[in-house]
Amino acid sequence: MQKQSENRRRQGVAIPMIVLLALGILFFGVYVAAAQFSSTALNARVALIFLGAYLAFGLLACLFFLLKEHKQRGEEILFESLNTKMHNMFKYAVGLPYAIVDEQGRVRTLNSALQKILGADDPFYRGTVSDFSGGVSLQEIIRAGIGGEDARTELGKLTMETIAAKEDDAKTPTETLPPSSIDGTIVRLPDNGRYVARAYAIMLHDRIGYLVTFTDASELLDLREKMERDMPAVAYIDVDNLEELTQYTHANYRDASRKVDDVLIGWAADMNGFLREYERDRYIMFFSQEKLRLCEEDKFSTLLDRIREIRLGEYGIPVTVSIGISLDDCNMAERAAQANSALDMALQRGGDQVAVRRRDGIRYYGGQTRPSQRRSRVQSRVVASYLLTKISVADNLLIMGHKNPDFDSIGACVGIAQLGLLAGIPTKIIMDLDNASFRIATERLAASHAYSDIFISGHRGLDLIRSGTLLIIVDANNFRIIESPEVANSVRQVSGKIAIIDHHRQAGEYDFEPVVNYIDPSASSATELVAEMLEQSETGNESENNKLVSDEVASVMLSGIMLDTNGFTRNTGSRTLDAARYLYGKGANAEYVHSFFNQDYADYVCERSFSGCSLMQTNTVGLTWSHGTGRGADDRVAAAKEADRLLNVKGVCASFALVVIDNVVHVSGRSDGSVNVQLILEKLGGGGRFDSAGTALSDVSLETAVEDLRGAIRAYFAEIEDTHHGA
């Protein structure tokens, strides 16, 4: 300010001098011109007149500029006086704390409000901003400004999303206000209050400095946190297997239901929640986010273990529950719908677990017990009837399973094709026509008239997609492993009609709404589900029922059940045997099916290549591995067989076989039902079922893959141990 005033005074002196010089030149020029063109010589009197006129005009000009300078100087004095008074008032009277700092963050002065917070005796503070703002430096406050740059203009206008993104780069983590709230960086001052810190560029003696203000946001943040703590979470609770257990055990349903009620009512009381049963064995509950956080820290083990302690029958079969919870940032109606969707995810993953949906996705807790068969014939009949209706109105039907199809995938595809043929709809099965399992299973079937041209490649399937095309995917719900993802994506875009029938746990949510999403991890195989649907589709007309499933179709479907149950020795329940009985009644030939599993010499060589083997977890988990024989999918099948074989070792509860195929390590996991191999392989990006799962690891060596698998196994058992300790 002083420098600007000095410059103006210099300009005030220079301008009159220039004016006087210009007037002098003007009058002198006029005098010379008059003398030149005058007929008589000018005397001294005329010269004095010119000089007097020059002096008069010069005096008037000087007087004008002096008066103007005097007025301007008076205004400057008044402005400086007012500015000083306003500065003192802002510094001592206004309650907004602020500090003036240099570019390095060193404090030059504080105002009285900030002095009071810091307990400083005078406004001259020796230190930097980070010394009293919880380690948050001036640069971090500036980074919350325009574009995150060290701008020389107004700061503090960056959105909170950008601030949050830049926090990872900061040396000291800082709090931020929620999106759409006040912009700035949250710091803690010595009074334990939380303040919004902003920086504004100012001039300090020809240098850039910053005015750093601190706006008290403690009440706002406390209120926001209280609202978030008290935000109601919506939970849907479903008792998984109570009704089914009481049908097959000597237990009273009412007594068992009362025990479940007691546990849930006690849990709701501990959660300060509101619980109501809205349907038999189904409940809805509301409780706070704070209580939900405590449950997540406990991994819901307390509740799930209390429910499992309710055991029925002479064998003490445990009761389990599945829970879907939503705490997404939406209205209550949408939150309830999302909680119900989360419950479906928990059930489709096998039950006995909790699915919690937040704005960043779904987290799963539990799932440590083997899913029991909980579906009913009513459910199969409803799904079969609805699916048959959708098939009947479709222009054509496409069916596919997963890549490298096994007998279960092939059998399920053939079974669904029977529904399409029954409805009289053009039906095609998309399949790898060169696959060895496909050639073995369909050798006789392909010779029949109905199936002579029903099997096509994925490339041909793309040409058959229309606006009314229905695609049914069986034995898979992960679109990365289906036979033709290109066909699935094209159907989604053209018709949007996709149905899914599977017995593997659902890997994640779909980005579309399936026509049918029939996933039951308690089923032994996808073929079992399809066989049950075919049985429920039969009518009273015996001749039509005989046409529904032929001998060859029944045999192919039976091979799928036999494969996934290891010859009815694993994961076999009453409904599995009922499905097999139905297929035997339709003419399935067990001797013919048994020939599907005969091993040729090349397969024998593949299996013998698994030379590495070890046990861990007190000899309860077995691992075997091979560098492969270069036979591609055959090596993968050999790995599955080796995992099954290793599971027969006495004391082994879970087994894993690893094989290298085209620089990708494929892992097959098997379990006797006491270890969830799916949760183990999910840690490596895989999935599957409780007792049968797999994954593929790219860009790693076999040795690294073995160590990664060991780490996943240890982590799984450590989580179980922590859960039990927590309970």
Side-chain angles (χ1 to χ4, degrees):
M1 180 65 71
Q2 292 177 353
K3 190 170 185 178
Q4 291 177 354
S5 299
E6 185 178 349
N7 289 336
R8 280 197 294 269
R9 284 195 295 270
R10 290 178 179 176
Q11 291 176 3
V13 174
I15 291 175
M17 295 297 295
I18 295 173
V19 171
L20 289 175
L21 180 61
L23 287 174
I25 294 173
L26 176 62
F27 276 93
F28 182 74
V30 172
Y31 178 79
V32 171
Q36 183 71 27
F37 296 101
S38 177
S39 57
T40 59
L42 298 178
N43 54 26
R45 184 180 177 183
V46 175
L48 290 175
I49 292 173
F50 272 94
L51 180 60
Y54 165 70
L55 293 176
F57 276 100
L59 183 60
L60 289 174
C62 291
L63 182 61
F64 171 78
F65 283 107
L66 286 175
L67 290 174
K68 183 179 178 181
E69 177 67 18
H70 178 74
K71 181 179 179 180
Q72 188 172 357
R73 179 58 181 163
E75 290 177 351
E76 288 180 359
I77 293 173
L78 177 61
F79 175 77
E80 290 177 357
S81 175
L82 291 174
N83 190 42
T84 301
K85 291 179 181 179
M86 290 297 294
H87 173 74
N88 291 334
M89 184 183 71
F90 185 77
K91 183 175 181 180
Y92 295 105
V94 177
L96 179 66
Y98 74 86
I100 296 177
V101 302
D102 60 16
E103 285 188 291
Q104 286 72 41
R106 291 189 294 266
V107 178
R108 293 298 183 88
T109 184
L110 311 171
N111 74 331
S112 60
L114 188 55
Q115 283 180 237
K116 183 177 180 181
I117 293 173
L118 302 181
D121 297 331
D122 57 66
F124 301 104
Y125 180 88
R126 291 181 177 84
T128 62
V129 171
S130 62
D131 293 340
F132 58 80
S133 60
V136 180
S137 66
L138 174 65
Q139 285 68 33
E140 291 176 274
I141 298 174
I142 293 175
R143 219 174 8 241
I146 298 174
E149 301 174 356
D150 185 6
R152 306 298 187 186
T153 57
E154 277 194 356
L155 305 177
K157 293 185 179 179
L158 198 61
T159 61
M160 295 310 301
E161 288 85 350
T162 310
I163 296 171
K166 292 181 176 297
E167 280 184 344
D168 295 337
D169 301 330
K171 295 180 179 179
T172 305
T174 61
E175 299 180 71
T176 59
L177 282 171
S180 75
S181 187
I182 304 172
D183 295 324
T185 302
I186 307 302
V187 300
R188 283 191 180 273
L189 296 184
D191 64 348
N192 206 31
R194 288 178 288 180
Y195 294 80
V196 182
R198 301 184 183 89
Y200 302 89
I202 59 175
M203 294 297 299
L204 292 175
H205 302 294
D206 299 331
R207 294 184 180 180
I208 294 293
Y210 292 93
L211 173 68
V212 183
T213 63
F214 300 90
T215 305
D216 192 353
S218 300
E219 292 185 4
L220 175 63
L221 290 172
D222 291 342
L223 179 61
R224 176 80 181 199
E225 291 168 359
K226 184 178 185 302
M227 290 177 60
E228 290 184 349
R229 286 195 305 268
D230 297 339
M231 180 185 296
V234 181
Y236 279 97
I237 305 171
D238 189 357
V239 183
D240 293 331
N241 53 356
L242 184 57
E243 187 172 357
E244 288 78 6
L245 287 178
T246 54
Q247 289 178 357
Y248 299 105
T249 61
H250 299 290
N252 184 282
Y253 173 82
R254 290 186 178 180
D255 291 341
S257 179
R258 179 181 51 79
K259 292 179 181 179
V260 174
D261 277 341
D262 291 341
V263 172
L264 292 177
I265 290 172
W267 181 60
D270 294 339
M271 300 279 287
N272 297 328
F274 174 82
L275 176 73
R276 283 293 181 272
E277 184 177 12
Y278 66 93
E279 193 177 312
R280 185 172 179 175
D281 298 333
R282 295 189 175 186
Y283 304 80
I284 187 170
M285 180 173 168
F286 301 91
F287 55 97
S288 67
Q289 178 180 202
E290 184 178 20
K291 295 295 184 179
L292 174 61
R293 180 180 57 80
L294 296 176
C295 287
E296 288 186 294
E297 291 176 357
D298 180 52
K299 298 181 180 179
F300 289 88
S301 59
T302 300
L303 172 64
L304 296 177
D305 288 344
R306 285 179 184 174
I307 296 293
R308 291 192 204 104
E309 289 173 0
I310 303 173
R311 295 179 176 268
L312 304 179
E314 56 183 330
Y315 298 107
I317 303 175
V319 178
T320 61
V321 297
S322 296
I323 304 176
I325 301 175
S326 174
L327 195 66
D328 205 348
D329 189 10
C330 56
N331 60 48
M332 189 60 67
E334 293 173 342
R335 198 173 302 167
Q338 291 179 355
N340 196 31
S341 173
L343 174 62
D344 290 340
M345 291 292 297
L347 291 171
Q348 290 163 7
R349 287 173 56 86
D352 186 30
Q353 58 191 284
V354 181
V356 180
R357 180 194 295 277
R358 294 180 179 270
R359 62 175 64 96
D360 57 347
I362 293 184
R363 298 185 182 93
Y364 298 98
Y365 304 91
Q368 302 294 343
T369 60
R370 183 176 184 172
S372 59
Q373 291 187 342
R374 64 186 307 273
R375 67 189 186 280
S376 66
R377 293 183 181 274
V378 175
Q379 183 182 16
S380 298
R381 182 161 55 250
V382 170
V383 173
S385 176
Y386 184 75
L387 185 61
L388 192 56
T389 301
K390 293 297 181 181
I391 293 175
S392 301
V393 299
D395 291 343
N396 63 325
L397 175 64
L398 299 178
I399 308 166
M400 74 169 73
H402 54 73
K403 293 178 181 178
N404 301 314
D406 54 17
F407 295 145
D408 183 32
S409 179
I410 298 168
C413 286
V414 170
I416 292 296
Q418 289 299 119
L419 293 177
L421 297 176
L422 177 66
I425 300 301
T427 302
K428 299 294 182 182
I429 299 175
I430 298 174
M431 190 72 65
D432 180 2
L433 304 181
D434 297 325
N435 180 267
S437 297
F438 165 73
R439 293 197 303 269
I440 293 172
T442 61
E443 182 178 3
R444 292 186 183 179
L445 186 64
S448 64
H449 174 72
Y451 283 86
S452 59
D453 62 347
I454 200 171
F455 299 103
I456 62 172
S457 65
H459 181 72
R460 281 192 57 196
L462 289 172
D463 298 331
L464 301 177
I465 298 173
R466 306 184 183 93
S467 60
T469 297
L470 173 63
L471 170 65
I472 300 180
I473 299 172
V474 298
D475 201 29
N477 62 75
N478 185 343
F479 278 55
R480 292 179 299 177
I481 65 171
I482 60 177
E483 180 62 45
S484 178
E486 296 81 10
V487 170
N489 290 332
S490 182
V491 170
R492 283 173 54 192
Q493 295 172 7
V494 176
S495 72
K497 300 176 182 178
I498 299 178
I500 300 171
I501 302 172
D502 191 19
H503 68 121
H504 298 98
R505 295 192 181 196
Q506 187 168 334
E509 293 185 282
Y510 311 122
D511 56 1
F512 67 98
E513 186 67 29
V515 173
V516 172
N517 189 34
Y518 186 28
I519 297 179
D520 188 355
S522 67
S524 68
S525 58
T527 305
E528 178 185 325
L529 295 173
V530 175
E532 214 168 50
M533 293 169 60
L534 287 172
E535 184 177 10
Q536 296 302 319
S537 299
E538 290 190 348
T539 63
N541 190 322
E542 186 174 350
S543 61
E544 290 184 1
N545 293 340
N546 292 333
K547 294 178 182 178
L548 184 61
V549 179
S550 64
D551 297 354
E552 290 80 9
V553 170
S555 296
V556 174
M557 293 181 67
L558 182 62
S559 70
I561 297 178
M562 291 182 63
L563 174 70
D564 278 15
T565 60
N566 196 20
F568 300 103
T569 62
R570 175 167 52 85
N571 197 29
T572 302
S574 60
R575 305 195 76 87
T576 307
L577 297 177
D578 287 343
R581 175 198 53 77
Y582 169 73
L583 295 175
Y584 278 121
K586 291 299 180 181
N589 188 329
E591 293 182 3
Y592 171 58
V593 172
H594 185 72
S595 67
F596 293 0
F597 298 89
N598 291 339
Q599 187 180 52
D600 59 23
Y601 179 73
D603 293 334
Y604 175 78
V605 172
C606 286
E607 295 177 22
R608 295 293 294 174
S609 68
F610 286 82
S611 56
C613 187
S614 68
L615 297 175
M616 59 185 299
Q617 296 300 127
T618 62
N619 298 331
T620 60
V621 179
L623 280 75
T624 182
W625 54 86
S626 166
H627 284 89
T629 61
R631 297 186 66 210
D634 293 332
D635 282 344
R636 194 162 169 263
V637 174
K641 292 181 178 180
E642 280 301 306
D644 284 326
R645 184 177 291 109
L646 185 56
L647 192 61
N648 294 326
V649 175
K650 187 176 181 179
V652 173
C653 301
S655 60
F656 298 89
L658 301 88
V659 63
V660 181
I661 303 175
D662 297 329
N663 297 321
V664 176
V665 181
H666 293 261
V667 185
S668 292
R670 297 292 185 269
S671 167
D672 64 359
S674 61
V675 177
N676 192 333
V677 293
Q678 185 214 0
L679 292 183
I680 293 175
L681 293 184
E682 275 185 351
K683 299 179 183 297
L684 300 178
R689 294 166 38 81
F690 191 100
D691 56 359
S692 177
T695 189
L697 306 176
S698 304
D699 302 324
V700 297
S701 64
L702 179 60
E703 293 73 16
T704 301
V706 171
E707 290 305 314
D708 291 344
L709 178 58
R710 291 180 188 273
I713 294 170
R714 294 190 190 98
Y716 168 79
F717 283 97
E719 289 175 2
I720 293 179
E721 186 176 354
D722 291 343
T723 300
H724 289 167
H725 282 319

